[in-house]
Amino acid sequence: MPGGPRGKIRPAFRRWRAGRPFWGGLLLALGGAEVLLTLKASLDVILHVGMQGLAGYLLPAVMLLCGVLILFNPSQRLFYSVIGVLVSLGTWLTSNLGGFFVGLLLGVAGSCLTFGWLPDQEPRISRRQRRKQVRAAKAVARPLEREAGHAA
C-alpha cells in the first residue's frame, strides 16, 4: 500500500532522523535505561544508604535524559555528548559496574557517535553505487578507445 499511511510516515521519519545524531542519542538513552534496569534496590533502601545509593539512580537518569535531549535538541549535541560520556564513566563506580559494562559501553559509544556527528555532511555513496559508477565510466571509455585506435 504505497499511498497508505505507512508510505507517508517512513520518509518523514527518515528526514527527521537524518537531521540529528539518531544512533548516538539512541545508544546513550538505551545505555541509561539498561543501567537503571540493573539496579534492583527499592527507593527506601537507596535513601537509607545515602548519597552513594542516590548517585546510582541519578547518573543513569542523566544518561537517559542526555540521550533523549540529543534526539530532540541536536543543536546542543556537543554539550550533551560530553556530559553523557562523563556520566557513563561515572556509572562504573556507582551502578553495578555500569550495568555490568553493557550500559557503560552503550553510553560511551553513543556519546562518541554523537560527538563525531556532522550535521551538514553530504551522505556517503554506498559501495554498490560506486561500483556502478566505475562500470559506467569504463563502458563509456571503451568505445572512445576503439575510435582513437581506428583513427591512428
Side-chain angles (χ1 to χ4, degrees), residues 3 6 28 39 46 48 54 64 68 75 80 82 87 94 104:
R6 189 173 190 186
L28 183 58
L39 297 173
I46 296 302
H48 179 71
L54 185 62
L64 185 63
V68 171
S75 62
Y80 297 141
V82 170
V87 170
T94 62
L104 170 82

Side-chain angles (χ1 to χ4, degrees), residues 27 30-31 34-35 38 96-108:
L27 286 178
L30 286 176
E34 197 275 333
V35 174
T38 59
N96 296 332
L97 296 175
F100 305 110
F101 294 113
V102 175
L104 170 82
L105 293 175
L106 283 173
V108 170

